Amino acid sequence: GESVGLHLPTLSVQEGDNSIINCAYSNSASDYFIWYKQESGKGPQFIIDIRSNMDKRQGQRVTVLLNKTVKHLSLQIAATQPGDSAVYFCAEYYNQGGKLIFGQGTELSVKP
Amino acid sequence: DTAVSQTPKYLVTQMGNDKSIKCEQNLGHDTMYWYKQDSKKFLKIMFSYNNKELIINETVPNRFSPKSPDKAHLNLHINSLELGDSAVYFCASSQGTGFPQPQHFGDGTRLSIL
């Protein structure tokens, strides 16, 4: 069936540490993945995306890794800051339905 | 210079009423969406329109009716509101169909049914 899930519902890190948020997806035919950040009272904000012909993509302080063999996606945030505290969602583009399937979300808490 | 804007931000009403939520995007995108986010933060697509044409219609009750007067606007009308409709509703937009592009979200409309 369609499902995109997260291994950890909550993650607490110290300011300055690196954070890793994991995501498992179920549809091996999915060819596009997105990470979103959602702050309290706001809508999801695009962070970074990756297409299935890549296994790594880097942005500013963020890196997304895609392992198609085990259908796993991760978001790495370098030098995590208090402003990074939010709920992070991975989303899988389900080509047959032409829609994004969102995971449950991981709440990242950054301790100063 | 808000990209995707929704009104109202908060909507409190009684069961049985009819209400509408409006969405506008100034990004020049062709495709717009409505999502529902429940109390556990789970986001699920409801509808998608491309150039005013309905392209995704999930298993949403008939009480929900989207309307797209032009490609920059996608409104959501809800009839006979029920307690289970309480949620945050997000509008989003993206460029084109075919190969996927990132979707840009509004800040949501929090609907509370009394």
Side-chain angles (χ1 to χ4, degrees), chain B residues 4 19 22-23 29 31 56 62 78 91 95 99-100 112-113:
Chain B
V4 181
K19 290 293 178 185
K22 295 186 176 182
C23 179
H29 288 164
T31 307
I56 293 175
N62 291 337
I78 315 170
C91 177
Q95 183 57 49
F99 210 72
S112 298
I113 309 302

Side-chain angles (χ1 to χ4, degrees), chain B residues 82-102:
Chain B
E82 299 178 358
L83 290 175
D85 297 333
S86 294
V88 182
Y89 292 83
F90 286 99
C91 177
S93 72
S94 68
Q95 183 57 49
T97 53
F99 210 72
Q101 298 291 329

Side-chain angles (χ1 to χ4, degrees), chain A residues 36 38 43 51 98-99 104, chain B residues 37 40 56 58 99 103:
Chain A
Y36 282 94
Q38 186 178 19
R51 302 197 188 273
K99 59 188 178 184
Q104 186 65 39
Chain B
Q37 187 172 48
K40 296 181 180 179
I56 293 175
E58 291 295 286
F99 210 72
Q103 294 179 16

Side-chain angles (χ1 to χ4, degrees), chain A residues 7 12-13 17-18 23 31 36 43 45 56 61 79 81 84-85 93 107 109 111:
Chain A
H7 295 308
S12 183
V13 300
D17 287 351
N18 296 334
C23 177
D31 58 5
Y36 282 94
Q45 178 187 0
K56 180 180 181 178
R61 284 199 307 116
Q81 302 167 0
D84 295 327
S85 293
Y93 183 73
E107 183 166 10
S109 175
K111 293 182 281 189

Side-chain angles (χ1 to χ4, degrees), chain B residues 51-112:
Chain B
N51 277 319
K52 302 193 294 177
E53 182 181 343
L54 180 68
I55 56 173
I56 293 175
N57 185 350
E58 291 295 286
T59 50
V60 178
N62 291 337
R63 299 181 295 103
F64 290 79
S65 54
K67 282 188 171 53
S68 182
D70 55 63
K71 74 173 192 177
H73 296 84
L74 181 61
N75 304 322
L76 184 65
H77 187 76
I78 315 170
N79 288 327
S80 303
L81 281 158
E82 299 178 358
L83 290 175
D85 297 333
S86 294
V88 182
Y89 292 83
F90 286 99
C91 177
S93 72
S94 68
Q95 183 57 49
T97 53
F99 210 72
Q101 298 291 329
Q103 294 179 16
H104 298 262
F105 285 77
D107 281 339
T109 295
R110 184 175 295 277
L111 175 61
S112 298

